[in-house]
Structure formats: C-alpha cells, structure tokens
Amino acid sequence: EHFRIISNFARTAAENGINMLLVPVFTPPLDTEIGGERLTTQLVKVEKRPRSYRFDFKLLDRYLDVISDAGIGYYEISHLFSQWGATAAPKVMATVDGKEVKLFGWETDSHGKEYTDFLRSFLKAFLAHMKERGEDKKCFFHISDEPQDAHLESYKKCKEAIADLLEGYTIMDALSNFDYYRQGIVETPIPCNNHIEPFLEAKVPGLWTYYCCGQCVGVSNRLISMPSWRNRAIGMQMYRYDIVGFLQWGYNFYNNCYSHDALNPFADLSGEFWVPAGDTFSVYPGANGEALESLRLVVFYEAIADMRAMKLCESLCGKEETLRVLKAAYGKDVLFSECPHSAEEMLRVRRAINEKIREYCK
C-alpha cells in the first residue's frame, strides 16, 4: 500500500513535468531541529560488523523501480551531511548485534573518522550497485543544504572527504554565496532566483535555480498569495538565461517547522505559520492515496511548457530571433527580478512564440 501511494505521487509528478525525485538513502537531514529527529525514511539497510559495514539495497531497488516506472528519469540522492553548516551526519539507522540502533545523527561530527569511513564505504557500495543497475549516471548528489558564509570551510572539508569517489558525478547544492563557486568548491551551484545575478554574470555553465519561502519580493514563486502569471513567469526566465534545472523542495511536505508533527494540508498550508502558505507542498493527499494537483503545480507545468515551446522555436529560427520575439511580445527584457503584472502579458508572450513556430510549420 505504501509503495502504491508512492507510485501515485511519482506519476503525478512526472505528468506535471518533474523528472527527478528525492531518493532518501538515509533520512534526509532537512527541516529537522538540531538535536531532534524526524520520521525515519531510510531506504538502505545497514548492518554494522566488527570491521566493516554491510548494505542491503532491496528496498532502494523497489523504490527506484516504482518511481522510474511512473516516469521519473533521475534520482536526487539525499544530502550526505546535515543542513545549516554540514557539521553533523544525517540520521542513519543500523543493525548492531541484532538490534536496530541509531548509528549516526546530530551528535556525530561530520568530519570525524567514524562517519567518514562509513560514508566512503557506503558510497563505494552504492555506486557499484547503481552501476549494476545501469543507472549510476542518473544520480545527482548533495553535500549540505543552503550553506551560509560561515559554513564554507566546513562544507569544503566534507566535500573533500568524498570528492574522489564522486568524480564524474554531479554534486549540486542550494546556496547563494558566490564564493562556493568562485573557489571551485561547488561546480553546480543552485542559487535562489533573488540571488542569481552574480552567477549569471559569471556565465556559470549548467546553471540551476530554486525558490522557497524567502523569495517573496519581485521574483517568481508559487505561493498562495501570488497570481498565476507570477508563477508561470519562471518559464520564460529560465529560457532567457539558459537555466538547465529547477529545484523545488516542497512537493509533498506535510510537516510543521523542524518536522515536529505532521499536519493536515487541507487545513494548514503554512506549516503552522512557519512559512508563507503554499511553500511546503504542490500536491494534496487524496483519500485513495492519489496525489491531487494544486493549481500552482498545474501553472508551473505551463511555465515548463512555455520554456519548451521557446526551445522548439529556437531550434527553428535560433536563440537570437527567439529572444527578439519574446522581448517584442513582453515589451521589455526578461529579468529574474521582475515578473509580469497581468495574465495577458504572459499569454501574449506564448501566442507570439506559437505564431513564430507556425511560420516554420506551414
């Protein structure tokens, strides 16, 4: 039943343009109070032996099979170190002498030998397993979520401990401090859309972007308080600046702040006044385990469709001409810092792109 529901949610995601889902190899160390715990969602079973670890990937395989069958093509591996500084390990449950115990957590130094040895052992086994599946290159990795200025050295040390094992794979993280990229610590940064300008100016290749609760002024977002045209604007913005990926954390997060308790999303859309309403989820849980689309999810898919239409247009007449058509219809250059002020502005852009495509399809 659990996996039937996961399949439903994955299928709805894929039908709305989402092609990558989070894979909790260990319980994600996100939105969890420092020193606290959230519900265990660990797909990899661990057995600690006297001088080694044994990993069981059967549950992981089942999860990957379910979401790939539903149309998901890429796997976002959960963060390998804690949020807000990369100072600790994620919660890792393991069997020790026949008993299930918490092996690592907030009390575990992320730079300590014990966790480093464990993590390297896990990554070697995990990558070997994914290669057997023929899917290792579908995996995208995270070190720590949203590291700040003060966390740079800690983050760097964490990455260096495993960088050799992940050479050739994409390591990406949501962050807004340009120094992480400038110093070569993160090759695939994901800045939020209200701090993206330095990354655009540097012409970072393969750039992603994201937004969450803090992106409220001027920029695109899908919060309940925002009109649909502001949500949809992200499509033409991503096309204009060659953004290759969009990271959205809140697909079905039904918890309050720090994940102390689960909430009824039909009654509370703000995580008990933790974040602006609409930030934490884009689908509602249906009575039969179905994922019910929010208007915000459907509109964001329209944004993706706009971007794809512009890419099609580009394939016919080139990037420069497509941008000319876009700017003429919009009436000004497209910026991340400004969104349309009406539905007509957004619809006018799409009509102009469609007409340009038709010129080549007669």
Side-chain angles (χ1 to χ4, degrees), residues 263-273 281 284:
L263 302 176
N264 178 356
F266 292 98
D268 189 331
L269 288 80
S270 67
E272 289 185 340
F273 306 104
F281 63 89
Y284 295 82

Side-chain angles (χ1 to χ4, degrees), residues 80-81 89-90 104 108-110 112-119:
L80 303 175
F81 299 90
F104 302 112
T108 305
D109 180 5
S110 62
K113 185 178 185 304
E114 186 178 9
Y115 183 62
T116 298
D117 289 347
F118 166 83
L119 189 55

Side-chain angles (χ1 to χ4, degrees), residues 91-143:
K91 180 172 73 170
V92 177
M93 304 300 293
T95 300
V96 180
D97 296 329
K99 296 181 180 179
E100 187 177 47
V101 301
K102 187 174 73 170
L103 194 63
F104 302 112
W106 283 112
E107 67 282 358
T108 305
D109 180 5
S110 62
H111 310 307
K113 185 178 185 304
E114 186 178 9
Y115 183 62
T116 298
D117 289 347
F118 166 83
L119 189 55
R120 289 184 64 84
S121 179
F122 163 72
L123 286 173
K124 290 175 184 177
F126 174 76
L127 290 172
H129 182 74
M130 294 305 294
K131 286 177 181 177
E132 287 182 8
R133 287 179 59 96
E135 295 186 310
D136 62 305
K137 292 302 182 179
K138 292 184 177 182
C139 297
F140 290 66
F141 295 89
H142 293 298
I143 301 297

Side-chain angles (χ1 to χ4, degrees), residues 215-354:
Q215 287 62 59
C216 301
V217 179
V219 296
S220 178
N221 208 322
R222 68 182 80 178
L223 304 176
I224 291 293
S225 62
M226 295 180 177
S228 289
W229 53 85
R230 187 166 168 185
N231 178 349
R232 186 167 170 176
I234 194 74
M236 66 176 182
Q237 292 169 348
M238 291 193 293
Y239 174 76
R240 166 68 176 83
Y241 294 100
D242 298 314
I243 303 301
V244 303
F246 185 85
L247 181 67
Q248 169 63 11
W249 82 277
Y251 179 63
N252 62 331
F253 186 84
Y254 306 135
N255 291 352
N256 59 3
C257 185
Y258 297 137
S259 301
H260 288 300
D261 299 294
L263 302 176
N264 178 356
F266 292 98
D268 189 331
L269 288 80
S270 67
E272 289 185 340
F273 306 104
W274 164 40
V275 290
D279 181 50
T280 62
F281 63 89
S282 294
V283 291
Y284 295 82
N288 192 37
E290 304 294 327
L292 306 179
E293 299 164 328
S294 68
L295 174 63
R296 295 166 290 120
L297 178 66
V298 174
V299 171
F300 189 86
Y301 187 36
E302 291 179 336
I304 296 174
D306 290 341
M307 182 180 65
R308 291 173 177 170
M310 291 170 191
K311 291 295 289 185
L312 173 59
C313 188
E314 178 183 331
S315 72
L316 298 171
C317 64
K319 179 87 174 184
E320 184 177 349
E321 177 64 8
T322 303
L323 288 177
R324 187 197 66 76
V325 173
L326 171 56
K327 185 175 182 180
Y330 190 41
K332 52 193 170 184
D333 196 13
V334 175
L335 303 173
F336 270 105
S337 57
E338 184 178 343
C339 292
H341 297 284
S342 69
E344 176 53 31
E345 287 179 89
M346 197 66 255
L347 295 173
R348 187 170 65 238
V349 166
R350 182 57 188 272
R351 286 197 298 266
I353 294 295
N354 288 351

Side-chain angles (χ1 to χ4, degrees), residues 147-197:
Q148 305 300 313
D149 299 7
H151 308 143
L152 193 146
E153 289 304 318
S154 177
Y155 183 102
K156 181 180 179 181
K157 191 173 180 180
C158 287
K159 183 183 177 184
E160 287 175 345
I162 57 172
D164 60 315
L165 300 178
L166 295 180
E167 186 174 355
Y169 297 93
T170 299
I171 301 176
M172 60 185 192
D173 272 311
L175 55 87
S176 295
N177 183 336
F178 186 70
D179 282 343
Y180 283 82
Y181 176 76
R182 183 177 59 81
Q183 296 185 27
I185 299 171
V186 180
E187 294 181 359
T188 306
I190 309 179
C192 51
N193 59 343
N194 63 333
H195 288 110
I196 198 172
E197 281 75 15

